[in-house]
Amino acid sequence: MSIKPELLAAAGSVADAATYLEAGAGALLVGEDRFGMRLPGSLTLDEIAQVVLLAHGQGSKVYVSLNNLMTNDLLPELPAYIKALGDIGVDAVEFNDPSVLTTVRDLAPQVKLHWNAEMTATNYSTANYWGSKGASRVILARELNMDEVTDMKPQLQLEAQVQVHGMTNIYHSKRRLVNSYMQQQGRPVNDGSLGKERGLFLIEAERQDEKYPIYEDINGTHIMSSEDICILEDLHLLMAAGVDSFKVETLLKPRHYNEVVIRTYRKAIDLYAADASAYAFQEEWMDGIRAIQDPERELSFGFFYKEQVY
């Protein structure tokens, strides 16, 4: 029997968490917008405590995103927040800033550390460096192709996490770019009206069939990919390589869509873990996802089969 990789999903509410756990998620990623970026929803400490209670009751784990760009004004709030997360009993935090690592080691040493540096997590040496500093997992860059991921795994001295489904961030700025544009056009903007719920998107003049979701929050402006990653067909390659955790990105997707996706990946993971030699991808799994996929968003392999040029 193969080692079964974790299936991780980001949850934007307690209701999301309950649904995704029931669908088969073995771990949940939650957080608050002050300290984490591009979350499907911002949870209070009380709500995170509810999610931990739900997840641990089912043998699942809870991770908290602390991947924001830590500015000086955030640092005084960090110790109390991390201590509270430790008291709540979260299993790990995602971080990209050493200030988070040192604070966790000092105030919540029982909480594991997952290094998430977005697109710069591209080699095993740097990942192992953060492992030597206390990280137990690296979230690999979504820009890596399949060979780079599978070749890197044997060189890692810590766990590896890979995104296998959903949209990806392609641009971030701390500035309120859409708000500024609207004001220049003489269109006043109410505070908070450019968030995820607005459904805004960008269209390039040269490629008007591609729509890039864009939204603003307290962390600035976020532009997302025009396609959704879906590696279900070749998930077995990542499982054979020993990747430890597969993330379903739920951002800007309805709960029912995410539930179907999680159930589908759960089925594939369970079948492979039960008997890898007998495992075979089944096309009907994709049919279920395609039936609810936004027709304006293509399902693609992302960077998994794109040759990298450095």
Side-chain angles (χ1 to χ4, degrees):
M1 180 177 290
S2 303
I3 296 175
K4 187 181 295 187
E6 171 187 271
L7 181 58
L8 167 67
S13 68
V14 177
D16 282 352
T19 297
Y20 301 161
L21 288 169
E22 197 277 329
L28 298 171
L29 178 68
V30 297
E32 183 180 338
D33 284 343
R34 282 187 307 157
F35 300 105
M37 281 201 293
R38 289 179 292 280
L39 296 162
S42 185
L43 274 65
T44 65
L45 285 170
D46 285 344
E47 290 171 324
I48 292 174
Q50 293 178 53
V51 172
V52 169
L53 192 63
L54 276 173
H56 287 182
Q58 300 184 34
S60 297
K61 297 179 180 180
V62 177
Y63 310 143
V64 175
S65 175
L66 294 173
N67 69 332
N68 202 347
L69 302 175
M70 295 297 169
T71 53
N72 288 328
D73 60 312
L74 273 179
L75 293 185
E77 302 177 55
L78 197 58
Y81 187 72
I82 286 177
K83 186 177 187 309
L85 294 177
D87 293 342
I88 286 170
V90 304
D91 298 282
V93 298
E94 286 192 4
F95 79 100
N96 60 17
D97 192 291
S99 64
V100 175
L101 182 148
T102 56
T103 306
V104 169
R105 290 198 308 191
D106 289 344
L107 299 177
Q110 75 278 18
V111 176
K112 292 185 177 182
L113 290 152
H114 296 172
W115 180 57
N116 182 6
E118 303 285 345
M119 64 180 295
T120 62
T122 57
N123 69 80
Y124 63 83
S125 180
T126 303
N128 290 338
Y129 167 82
W130 286 107
S132 72
K133 298 302 179 182
S136 63
R137 175 181 295 183
V138 55
I139 288 83
L140 296 180
R142 293 174 293 264
E143 290 76 13
L144 296 177
N145 63 35
M146 182 65 79
D147 288 341
E148 289 171 321
V149 171
T150 56
D151 289 349
M152 189 188 305
K153 184 60 177 74
Q155 309 296 328
L156 291 172
Q157 297 165 9
L158 64 174
E159 294 179 353
Q161 178 181 307
V162 172
Q163 181 180 335
V164 294
H165 198 96
M167 65 177 61
T168 62
N169 175 249
I170 61 172
Y171 178 85
H172 169 251
S173 173
K174 278 287 190 180
R175 295 173 294 168
R176 302 289 184 90
L177 300 180
V178 183
N179 190 301
S180 176
Y181 172 78
M182 293 288 197
Q183 290 183 4
Q184 290 177 15
Q185 299 299 310
R187 300 165 63 183
V189 177
N190 296 325
D191 188 41
S193 65
L194 301 175
K196 305 180 189 75
E197 300 79 14
R198 182 71 178 270
L200 298 175
F201 54 84
L202 294 177
I203 296 178
E204 294 184 87
E206 297 81 7
R207 295 183 290 181
Q208 298 202 14
D209 57 332
E210 295 190 30
K211 297 181 178 180
Y212 299 86
I214 181 171
Y215 70 91
E216 289 182 3
D217 59 16
I218 65 172
N219 295 314
T221 306
H222 311 268
I223 303 176
M224 309 303 293
S225 60
S226 62
E227 301 176 344
D228 289 323
I229 293 173
C230 180
I231 199 65
L232 183 64
E233 185 176 344
D234 281 353
L235 193 67
H236 62 286
L237 299 178
L238 296 172
M239 290 191 280
V243 173
D244 303 276
S245 179
F246 297 141
K247 183 186 179 185
V248 172
E249 178 55 78
T250 61
L251 182 64
L252 299 180
K253 300 292 188 184
R255 186 183 301 159
H256 172 65
Y257 176 93
N258 295 324
E259 179 184 7
V260 170
V261 169
I262 292 167
R263 288 189 187 279
T264 305
Y265 279 84
R266 174 82 277 154
K267 182 182 298 184
I269 291 170
D270 288 349
L271 285 173
Y272 186 93
D275 188 352
S277 63
Y279 177 86
F281 167 74
Q282 299 176 34
E283 187 63 36
E284 57 263 31
W285 296 345
M286 284 300 303
D287 293 340
I289 294 176
R290 290 190 185 106
I292 56 171
Q293 179 70 16
D294 183 343
E296 295 188 331
R297 294 188 62 80
E298 182 181 347
L299 291 170
S300 78
F301 287 121
F303 285 96
F304 278 104
Y305 292 112
K306 291 183 179 179
E307 182 178 355
Q308 308 296 27
V309 178
Y310 298 105

